[in-house]
Amino acid sequence: MKILVTGGAGFIGGNFLHYMVQNYPQDQMVNLDLLTYAGNLETVKSLEDKPNYRFVHGDIADRDFIMKLFEKEKFDIVVNFAAESHVDRSVINPEIFIQTNVLGTQVLLDASKTYGIKRYHQVSTDEVYGDLPLNRTDLFFTEETPIHTSSPYSASKAGADLLVLAYYRTFKLPVTISRCSNNYGPYQFPEKLIPLIIIRALENQRLPIYGKGENVRDWLYVTDHCRAIDLIIRKGKEGEVYNIGGHNEKTNLEVVKMVLKILEKPESLIRYVTDRPGHDLRYAIDPTKMERELGWKPEYTFDTGMDKTIKWYLSNKEWWQRVMNGEYRNYIKNMYDKRLIER
Ligand code: NAD
Ligand code: DAU
């Protein structure tokens, strides 16, 4: 089988490629990535000499390029990870989120339809369901929870999901969608909470916590997400949505304090800063469908996953020091300087 993995130079797509290249030597993996600020070929460097792996540089929203690529390569399966993925950036510049996440998805769907792809899988997010109240810990997102988005990022992901389901109903394109909770693990770009906190704590810098740090996220180790997607593309039912999560809800403050404890750094590094506009309160996934229909269960607990993650950041300083270039420093300055001074 030939599998197109888009966004494979990013965090989850990169981890997915490591998993797939190792576990399926008989399948061919093609990694298509635009190499935006979040894409990094160092993430997949150790795959370069593998016979079942290849990299292609390009934009999922470039219709001519994508059509030619599909015509030439004759993919069996498409797994679309490529996206603008950071909520805070979508507050500053929504347009690129529509371009990549919505229009890019539509181009991939058209190419999949034209060239008879056997399975198109859309990597979506639990953020399409909006948020849950902090004081209703009995409520969870199921696949039937209505779409109800908060940020330009989540709205763009929801738009893409609706297109995917429309191509199933209207054109009978064999699609599946997965909606996962927050991931953490190796190779995550340090704009996201966990790697940002690990790196800043290592450098004894102030740790920005939005609002009161009471918002809740449902954390999953990235390899558990990758295993779930692999199961869905092989055994999932066409036209279906699958929620992925491991019942691991934590407040942001709990997560930050855990990182500090493991790194033996003081809590005095914490700074409460101006909240994210439209900040979702709580995410919590009900993964019953994945468990019952596909026999999936997470293999990592938060303790084992965080231990692995922190060890990875400690022994891969070169990887994260290289991504902290001029663009990154400008982003951090624009995003946090004013916030840190205000409170
Ligand atoms: P990421 O930002 O780390 O990586 C995104 C990758 O997509 C980068 O390599 C980037 O270069 C590439 N890309 C961006 N625009 C592109 C384009 N136009 N054409 C080709 N490639 C392009 O993101 P991530 O955290 O790995 O997320 C991957 C996917 O998983 C996204 O679709 C995201 O919505 C979804 N998701 C993420 C999480 C999470 O916690 N990070 C949870 C659930 C779902
Ligand atoms: O739920 C899945 C989603 O998880 C994915 O779809 C997104 O691509 C991914 O970025 C992630 O979104 P979040 O907004 O939840 O992740 P982030 O790491 O940006 O923030 C996690 C929480 O931590 C959130 O409540 C905001 C807070 N936060 C974040 C940063 C970067 C802070 O308090 N301080 C920070 O500096």
Side-chain angles (χ1 to χ4, degrees), residues 62-316:
D62 182 340
R63 182 170 287 273
D64 289 348
F65 164 77
I66 291 292
M67 286 294 180
K68 281 186 194 127
L69 182 74
F70 274 60
E71 184 179 18
K72 178 167 150 247
E73 297 283 355
K74 310 209 172 356
F75 301 116
D76 296 293
I77 295 180
V78 175
V79 186
N80 181 26
F81 289 92
E84 287 295 329
S85 70
H86 193 36
V87 174
D88 289 326
R89 288 190 192 244
S90 82
V91 176
I92 295 169
N93 178 18
E95 195 169 336
I96 184 69
F97 285 73
I98 307 305
Q99 173 72 18
T100 292
N101 301 0
V102 182
L103 296 177
T105 296
Q106 195 224 338
V107 168
L108 289 175
L109 289 168
D110 279 343
S112 299
K113 174 162 92 65
T114 306
Y115 293 101
I117 294 302
K118 295 189 189 95
R119 174 63 63 88
Y120 175 92
H121 182 75
Q122 178 75 0
V123 181
S124 184
T125 167
D126 61 356
E127 294 200 18
V128 301
Y129 300 122
D131 61 355
L132 297 164
L134 288 177
N135 61 357
R136 288 292 308 273
T137 50
D138 56 317
L139 295 180
F140 297 92
F141 296 138
T142 72
E143 288 80 0
E144 277 70 50
T145 302
I147 301 277
H148 183 82
T149 57
S150 312
S151 69
Y153 162 70
S154 57
S156 70
K157 293 295 289 186
D161 281 16
L162 294 176
L163 278 171
V164 172
L165 294 173
Y167 274 63
Y168 171 68
R169 166 112 185 218
T170 306
F171 306 115
K172 313 237 166 343
L173 188 71
V175 305
T176 39
I177 295 178
S178 53
R179 294 179 179 150
C180 190
S181 58
N182 286 62
N183 284 213
Y184 66 99
Y187 303 111
Q188 188 167 28
F189 192 80
E191 65 188 350
K192 307 284 164 61
L193 181 70
I194 290 183
L196 183 97
I197 295 300
I198 296 173
I199 289 170
R200 289 182 74 92
L202 285 173
E203 299 192 334
N204 300 310
Q205 290 173 335
R206 290 173 296 177
L207 310 179
I209 297 197
Y210 300 165
K212 295 182 181 155
E214 286 171 347
N215 301 57
V216 170
R217 295 294 183 263
D218 184 358
W219 294 96
L220 187 73
Y221 188 69
V222 63
T223 312
D224 282 327
H225 185 186
C226 296
R227 274 195 311 108
I229 293 174
D230 178 31
L231 270 174
I232 296 168
I233 59 178
R234 282 160 208 275
K235 297 188 182 148
K237 242 175 87 191
E238 287 172 16
E240 294 287 313
V241 173
Y242 294 89
N243 281 358
I244 307 171
H247 282 300
N248 182 46
E249 291 175 52
K250 304 270 175 230
T251 66
N252 294 335
L253 197 53
E254 283 173 325
V255 171
V256 173
K257 285 186 176 173
M258 179 176 179
V259 172
L260 289 173
K261 196 164 173 211
I262 299 174
L263 292 177
E264 296 179 350
K265 295 284 183 178
E267 288 184 10
S268 56
L269 288 175
I270 291 174
R271 288 290 182 282
Y272 295 94
V273 305
T274 317
D275 211 350
R276 169 186 282 175
H279 198 173
D280 279 336
L281 295 171
R282 171 173 167 255
Y283 302 148
I285 282 275
D286 176 354
T288 307
K289 184 172 173 179
M290 274 303 297
E291 292 171 357
R292 277 218 198 111
E293 292 186 15
L294 301 181
W296 175 86
K297 268 213 173 307
E299 283 177 358
Y300 290 86
T301 63
F302 200 46
D303 283 341
T304 56
M306 280 297 274
D307 183 60
K308 230 174 138 68
T309 303
I310 290 182
K311 282 193 178 126
W312 187 87
Y313 279 92
L314 285 172
S315 49
N316 287 277

